[in-house]
Amino acid sequence: MRNYLIVLMVLLSTSCLEDRKRDVQLSSKMEAVKDSVDTYFTKLTELQEFNGVVLAYQKDTLLLKKAYNLNDDPQSSTYITDSTQFDIHSVSKLMTYYLVAKLEQEKKLSVEQTLINYFEDFPKGKAITLQMLLEHRSGLPRELSGLGEQEYDLTSDEIVDLAKKENLLFAPGTNAQYSNVGYEILYNIVSKAYDKAFAQCVVDEIFDPLDMDSSGAHFFVKQDRVKNMAQNHVLKDSLVWKVDNIQQDEFRTARLFSTVDDLKKFLDHIKQEPYASYLKNEEGIIAKDGGSKGVRAQVYSDLENDFDFVLLTNYDEMPFFDTIDDMVRLLKSEPVEYPKEINRKAITLDTEVLQRYEGSYMFADFDGLVLEVKAKDNHLVIFQEGEKIGELQAETPTVFFENPKAAESFEFIKNESGTYDALMGWKGIVVEGKRN
């Protein structure tokens, strides 16, 4: 018996040592990830490309919660803290998806219902399901046409009436095109289901139950929750400029704001079933970005690798999508190149080479934006609606840039007709412009 007890004690001691060793290794790994994330955003801020708050978790452990400021003076208009409120824009779409899922769980609607169930005179209403609206597969355009910055004054019902007049870009369900219009219709449907303004639905069904006390909406709510709102900023003429948080060309229906802590509460809730099954993609990720002039927001939860992060910035000079991709790699302990200063060199091209790229290019993903390209004095000039908006220098015979300190490029790719299409970089993504 004495020998048995000795063996048992040795085994227990060995097991405890192994557990302690694993805990130390895990703690060391998390500390390394924390340091990497902090270093990344510190360098991005030093390059004058970030001003905002980062919140990151691995499993249930807080890795980092930190505000990064271009100017540490609390009197600066850019100054923020880790509890500052930010406008979250299209993150509202993830909240809408959640509310639709919640209503379906409560048997109050079905994502297979069509628009004809709610708007009997909606063209093609029998072909467009709520699921299509949720997944941007309805065929409705990104924005309403011909409003001329009058979006601000529209009510939800007026937006739906105008949506009925829009031509579909494709047959419902046959393709995908990001559509703010489609979600405005969903806001209207959710509003009718709860018999109150959509913004008040979000407050009553999400913010209050989850104790998201620093979250709210700018319009159509009973209570003003603005306490410490970030002022939005852009870079103009190499200077940081304040811009209005509320733009006249934006709908007021879902003008929500929040903090990193509150958005983490929302992520923690929707990671649970049954909502995770609605909201996660094939890789087990729940994520949504949002933004407008001078502001960007991202929520991200990787259910397979068990990490979450929230990123809010009131300065839109950040290479947004590249930064989000890098953040994911950092939280997976994958190698990432830290932000560094860019110094691109221009070359001189013959006039006949530049003239190959002259013409107009239509960017469908930017609401049908049309840019005109003309060759002049060894460079390319960009026009929008007849107004000059930029000049491009050649880096290679097909790649051009405007700012030698920025990664964004214009690249011209030969198409099947023998002319060229354009690939335009913007905030870390590349959009295609077809030659007209």
Side-chain angles (χ1 to χ4, degrees):
M1 175 64 72
R2 181 169 177 271
N3 290 339
Y4 172 77
L5 290 175
I6 291 172
V7 171
L8 180 60
M9 290 175 65
V10 170
L11 289 174
L12 289 173
S13 177
T14 302
S15 176
C16 289
L17 286 172
E18 288 297 322
D19 289 343
R20 194 174 301 119
K21 182 179 178 182
R22 280 193 294 270
D23 289 342
V24 169
Q25 289 175 338
L26 180 60
S27 177
S28 177
K29 181 179 178 182
M30 286 188 172
E31 192 66 28
V33 172
K34 172 188 173 181
D35 289 344
S36 296
V37 173
D38 186 28
T39 299
Y40 185 98
F41 283 95
T42 297
K43 289 184 177 295
L44 201 62
T45 304
E46 290 170 349
L47 291 170
Q48 301 291 293
E49 293 184 344
F50 184 67
N51 194 92
V53 186
V54 179
L55 176 73
Y57 274 79
Q58 281 194 330
K59 301 184 185 299
D60 294 324
T61 301
L62 174 65
L63 286 180
L64 183 70
K65 177 185 175 185
K66 185 174 177 179
Y68 298 82
N69 279 287
L70 294 170
N71 187 339
D72 289 327
D73 182 358
Q75 300 305 312
S76 168
S77 65
T78 59
Y79 186 81
I80 45 86
T81 71
D82 60 17
S83 61
T84 297
Q85 297 165 310
F86 292 76
D87 292 309
I88 59 174
H89 289 273
S90 284
V91 175
S92 64
K93 292 181 173 65
L94 183 62
M95 295 177 177
T96 305
Y97 210 136
Y98 162 75
L99 289 176
V100 170
K102 184 173 181 291
L103 287 165
E104 181 167 70
Q105 288 294 311
E106 295 168 353
K107 310 296 184 185
K108 294 178 180 177
L109 58 69
S110 166
V111 294
E112 297 306 318
Q113 287 178 319
T114 64
L115 289 188
I116 211 69
N117 292 98
Y118 298 92
F119 315 103
E120 60 183 20
D121 60 341
F122 205 103
K124 305 289 185 182
K126 291 182 179 179
I128 300 174
T129 66
L130 303 194
Q131 190 70 48
M132 291 176 189
L133 293 176
L134 291 167
E135 297 175 350
H136 301 282
R137 296 186 296 111
S138 68
L140 288 163
R142 184 185 180 96
E143 306 290 351
L144 295 175
S145 58
L147 286 181
E149 298 189 0
Q150 297 178 36
E151 288 87 343
Y152 179 89
D153 295 321
L154 295 173
T155 66
S156 182
D157 286 339
E158 288 172 339
I159 294 169
V160 172
D161 285 339
L162 289 171
K164 295 173 184 178
K165 301 175 183 178
E166 293 290 332
N167 294 322
L168 297 184
L169 302 179
F170 49 82
T174 63
N175 206 333
Q177 172 67 50
Y178 193 88
S179 177
N180 289 320
V181 176
Y183 264 81
E184 288 290 335
I185 294 171
L186 286 170
Y187 301 154
N188 190 280
I189 291 171
V190 170
S191 172
K192 285 180 167 55
Y194 287 110
D195 194 25
K196 65 184 78 170
F198 173 79
Q200 192 64 52
C201 296
V202 175
V203 172
D204 293 346
E205 302 299 324
I206 299 177
F207 295 164
D208 282 349
L210 299 182
D211 295 322
M212 295 171 65
D213 297 330
S214 295
S215 301
H218 290 287
F219 305 103
F220 309 120
V221 286
K222 299 174 184 176
Q223 182 183 8
D224 180 4
R225 296 188 175 195
V226 173
K227 304 170 188 174
N228 182 24
M229 182 67 61
Q231 172 70 56
N232 298 346
H233 294 81
V234 299
L235 186 68
K236 180 181 178 183
D237 299 328
S238 300
L239 296 174
V240 178
W241 289 78
K242 290 191 296 184
V243 294
D244 292 337
N245 285 34
I246 309 298
Q247 298 289 316
Q248 294 297 309
D249 62 350
E250 296 171 340
F251 300 119
R252 292 182 295 158
T253 325
R255 289 305 315 273
L256 309 178
F257 56 84
S258 191
T259 64
V260 289
D261 284 326
D262 275 6
L263 290 171
K264 178 63 166 62
K265 292 177 182 178
F266 177 61
L267 280 177
D268 287 343
H269 181 67
I270 63 176
K271 288 192 300 183
Q272 311 304 315
E273 293 298 346
Y275 305 112
S277 294
Y278 283 90
L279 301 173
K280 68 182 179 181
N281 65 16
E282 294 178 355
E283 288 75 41
I285 293 167
I286 299 173
K288 190 71 189 79
D289 61 272
S292 185
K293 194 173 185 179
V295 62
R296 296 284 179 269
Q298 176 76 55
V299 295
Y300 195 106
S301 183
D302 187 324
L303 305 184
E304 300 297 325
N305 294 290
D306 206 1
F307 67 77
D308 312 298
F309 69 89
V310 180
L311 185 154
L312 301 172
T313 173
N314 61 327
Y315 177 55
D316 67 5
E317 211 39 39
M318 178 180 72
F320 186 79
F321 296 102
D322 283 343
T323 300
I324 299 307
D325 289 343
D326 285 345
M327 185 67 169
V328 170
R329 285 192 283 268
L330 286 168
L331 291 174
K332 290 182 177 179
S333 298
E334 296 176 356
V336 164
E337 184 175 349
Y338 288 131
K340 61 184 179 182
E341 187 176 12
I342 297 173
N343 289 291
R344 305 174 75 168
K345 303 299 182 184
I347 64 173
T348 301
L349 297 178
D350 292 337
T351 301
E352 54 265 30
V353 176
L354 295 174
Q355 288 174 341
R356 297 173 186 168
Y357 312 130
E358 289 189 322
S360 62
Y361 298 81
M362 195 275 286
F363 296 85
D365 289 330
F366 279 175
D367 303 333
L369 170 70
V370 176
L371 297 180
E372 186 80 20
V373 177
K374 295 182 180 180
K376 182 181 180 182
D377 299 334
N378 298 318
H379 58 265
L380 297 176
V381 183
I382 308 297
F383 295 87
Q384 181 181 353
E385 296 180 349
E387 179 182 352
K388 178 182 172 181
I389 62 170
E391 293 185 0
L392 303 178
Q393 301 180 75
E395 185 174 39
T396 74
T398 59
V399 176
F400 293 74
F401 64 89
E402 182 175 25
N403 181 357
K405 299 289 186 183
E408 282 79 12
S409 297
F410 251 77
E411 183 175 3
F412 294 93
I413 306 294
K414 207 163 192 176
N415 56 37
E416 294 179 356
S417 67
T419 61
Y420 289 83
D421 294 328
L423 300 178
M424 181 172 64
W426 182 80
K427 307 295 182 187
I429 61 171
V430 177
V431 291
E432 184 178 19
K434 289 291 188 181
R435 184 74 163 268
N436 287 338

